[in-house]
Amino acid sequence: MNKNGGESSGGDRISSLPRDLLQKILGCLPLHDAVRTSVLSTKWRYKWVVRSELVFDYNIYKEILLKTSIYKVLLMHQGEVRKFSLLVPSSNLFSDIDTWILFLSSKNVQELSLAFLTCCRLPSHLFKFQDLKHLELNSCEFNPPPNFKGFRSLVTLNFQFVTFEPMSFQVLLSSSPLLEHVSMVCCSEFDSFIIEAPNLKIFKFSSTANSLCFRRIPLLEEIVLGMPFNMSESFTVPEPQLTLHNIKILNFKNLIFSEVEWVAYVLDLINRCPNIERLLITSYAYTSCACECTHPLRSQEMTMTHSAMKRLKSVDMTLMWVNKTEMEFLNHVLAYATALEKIYIATSAEIRHRGMKMMEEMKRFPRASPNVEFIYHS
């Protein structure tokens, strides 16, 4: 204090900041650091309890500390919990998760992320979270009750290593009217998987299916498909006569060009997207593919339509090997894509000589667009 009774220049100025600003500062800290501010002074003891984001990112080996901390935080917390994120290190916490989810069901949670190191059956209370906008699940069983009618506010859905009955997931898609972004990686194997979501804009799928069909997706703009390694010959094309007018980006990962059925599916999907602007392909090569493809697609099998290529501006391809089928594919793209501006090819350094040769050959292909830029990287 100075002699006039005022606060010295070294006083606690942070505590006098507006409450909203203090909450923003606390929100930038990891959760355990925010809780530790309670020891600074009596003024700081309970400032963290209204924090709206609870992200438990403790060392996974400190299981007892994690359990104790979660109970402490939830019991003292006040107000809404907009975001809750938790990595569950072992099955010893499964019974506690039921309690935590029940508590959170009245907290208006909008963003929920649960990751399990051991597969867990989700608590039934989770399906009552009608304020959820973003849901991320990793390594668990998605088992909604019979009366489940989707999440009315859900916008983003991210599943990894999640198992469920196909029909229950289709109910989730069709009954979540605001759903815009769906990502599924290594989830349940599907026999027949139908995508129906009236507001869906981005769909990412890297799982296994014998049938993948699109229906009632009027706003879909981007499709990312990780081609399944054990895709059978019965893998079907989208619904007959279906045209995906709004698709701007098609992204195919792990495509094996030597698999005729896979490439046929890719071509069929391209032909159903007349307004595609960007095409991305990452190829995958088995060891046995490190030689020329023994069964390249014939020209009549490599069919593309002018309407599907008229808006295509860029092609990005990452190749694990360079075979005749890849060259034939790019030949057709150049022949049909009248608006094409760029072809970007990337290979590993080990096959740089083949990649450079491929690029030089492509430059001699007839092309519908006169101003194509060829870019190569290894």
Side-chain angles (χ1 to χ4, degrees), residues 183-321:
S183 177
M184 299 174 61
V185 177
C186 298
C187 293
S188 291
E189 292 189 10
F190 294 94
D191 180 24
S192 177
F193 185 30
I194 300 173
I195 301 95
E196 291 185 88
N199 211 44
L200 189 63
K201 295 180 180 178
I202 300 174
F203 178 72
K204 299 180 179 181
F205 184 83
S206 295
S207 297
T208 304
N210 290 328
S211 175
L212 183 62
C213 296
F214 298 93
R215 293 180 188 169
R216 297 201 308 170
I217 32 83
L219 302 182
L220 191 62
E221 296 178 354
E222 179 177 352
I223 297 176
V224 181
L225 292 181
M227 307 305 286
F229 296 146
N230 59 341
M231 182 167 67
S232 70
E233 294 183 3
S234 64
F235 191 79
T236 62
V237 299
E239 287 290 283
Q241 309 305 319
L242 176 68
T243 301
L244 304 171
H245 291 283
N246 289 308
I247 298 296
K248 300 293 190 300
I249 301 173
L250 280 178
N251 188 345
F252 300 98
K253 298 179 180 292
N254 301 321
L255 175 63
I256 299 180
F257 275 91
S258 60
E259 294 288 341
V260 175
E261 293 81 9
W262 295 28
V263 179
Y265 179 85
V266 168
L267 294 174
D268 184 84
L269 194 52
I270 291 174
N271 286 333
R272 294 173 187 269
C273 302
N275 296 311
I276 180 178
E277 296 179 358
R278 188 179 182 193
L279 177 63
L280 301 95
I281 296 177
T282 301
S283 74
Y284 177 88
Y286 293 118
T287 304
S288 60
C289 291
C291 58
E292 291 297 335
C293 178
T294 55
H295 300 289
L297 287 178
R298 296 183 297 272
S299 296
Q300 61 266 31
E301 294 172 327
M302 190 76 75
T303 56
M304 295 184 185
T305 63
H306 286 285
S307 60
M309 292 283 136
K310 65 181 180 181
R311 297 184 184 276
L312 184 63
K313 295 180 180 179
S314 68
V315 176
D316 294 70
M317 294 184 67
T318 301
L319 304 176
M320 299 298 104
W321 199 253

Side-chain angles (χ1 to χ4, degrees), residues 69-94:
S69 300
I70 294 175
Y71 274 112
K72 176 184 176 181
V73 168
L74 294 183
L75 286 172
M76 296 184 67
H77 191 272
Q78 300 174 13
E80 296 183 342
V81 177
R82 296 301 180 95
K83 177 180 179 179
F84 183 84
S85 179
L86 172 64
L87 170 64
V88 183
S90 81
S91 58
N92 295 331
L93 296 178
F94 285 178

